[in-house]
Amino acid sequence: MEITNNTAAGVYTNNYKNKNVPGQDYENTMKRKTSETEVKENKILGMGFLHSENNTVHYGMCAMYAEDYSEENPVIQVNVTKPGGKEEYLININEVNPRFATEIEMFALCNYADAKGMGTGGTFGSWQTLNYYRDNASHNGYFELSNGLDSFKSVKQDWMKMVQLMMKDYMEAGLFKQSLDGKGLLGIFERYAR
């Protein structure tokens, strides 16, 4: 079947194949390759934002499987988009220690955990849950917020301790759901803590 559409710009022709007509190879033309290589090259595991140094601009960031990713070598690529271009960072999940980790490492770990079904199960993902904890811990004086690319990739902190302190605060304030969210985060972190 040929579909023709006349427009002001000219004639548009589409060679449409009807899947109900015998002899047409609809299944083969509509199948999408789903090799492991294609999945890891195209799959964004998660997105987030990074505050600038003056806290007026937010840089976009996303996590995806790195080119050399494998189950034995779980390397996550984090792309940070900012004025003037994109910066790429490679994070080996096996080297992340939530007791002494940077924000970029924790971003990669949370998104990796979600992709592997080990995350908190929250609507917006483990990273967003951790962000709520981090922001509140900063207000309570338990944690230093990183502002800007330099501190995002260099300031190492004890994320497990921060979550434990906030779970206690949430429980004492009667915020039981928020306290339970911490159990999900600690479940991820305990797999990698050293």
Side-chain angles (χ1 to χ4, degrees):
M1 170 189 286
E2 183 175 286
I3 299 173
T4 304
N5 183 16
N6 293 315
T7 67
V11 177
Y12 170 77
T13 303
N14 179 6
N15 293 323
Y16 170 76
K17 303 273 187 202
N18 186 338
K19 69 177 182 177
N20 296 317
V21 176
Q24 292 185 353
D25 195 4
Y26 177 80
E27 292 300 320
N28 286 335
T29 59
M30 298 307 290
K31 279 185 183 174
R32 184 176 183 275
K33 280 181 15 182
T34 56
S35 70
E36 182 179 329
T37 301
E38 184 181 45
V39 168
K40 72 183 180 187
E41 285 177 0
N42 296 321
K43 184 169 182 178
I44 293 177
L45 305 179
M47 296 187 300
F49 294 95
L50 171 64
H51 300 287
S52 69
E53 290 80 4
N54 59 12
N55 216 16
T56 58
V57 177
H58 302 285
Y59 304 135
M61 58 183 177
C62 69
M64 61 187 66
Y65 294 114
E67 189 175 309
D68 61 344
Y69 170 88
S70 69
E71 292 297 321
E72 300 78 35
N73 185 41
V75 177
I76 301 300
Q77 178 178 321
V78 176
N79 295 332
V80 178
T81 304
K82 60 181 197 162
K86 175 176 75 172
E87 293 187 16
E88 296 178 358
Y89 303 92
L90 298 177
I91 309 297
N92 187 321
I93 297 301
N94 290 334
E95 295 173 4
V96 176
N97 178 3
R99 292 190 190 279
F100 189 68
T102 64
E103 189 173 341
I104 195 170
E105 291 172 326
M106 295 307 292
F107 176 73
L109 177 62
C110 286
N111 285 292
Y112 173 75
D114 288 344
K116 293 299 180 182
M118 302 179 297
T120 61
T123 304
F124 300 106
S126 301
W127 174 247
Q128 192 59 42
T129 302
L130 185 58
N131 266 328
Y132 292 135
Y133 265 73
R134 180 193 62 174
D135 289 345
N136 288 325
S138 172
H139 290 296
N140 291 355
Y142 303 146
F143 207 70
E144 178 185 338
L145 285 180
S146 61
N147 285 316
L149 223 41
D150 289 336
S151 60
F152 177 72
K153 60 185 181 181
S154 64
V155 175
K156 294 192 179 251
Q157 299 187 75
D158 189 339
W159 296 76
M160 288 186 76
K161 181 179 178 184
M162 179 270 292
V163 168
Q164 292 164 340
L165 289 169
M166 284 309 302
M167 284 177 67
K168 182 177 180 261
D169 283 0
Y170 286 141
M171 190 61 85
E172 288 173 0
L175 301 171
F176 304 117
K177 194 251 184 250
Q178 286 84 345
S179 183
L180 286 174
D181 287 343
K183 286 189 176 228
L185 290 170
L186 291 177
I188 298 168
F189 300 168
E190 287 167 356
R191 295 172 187 249
Y192 298 94
R194 296 180 286 286

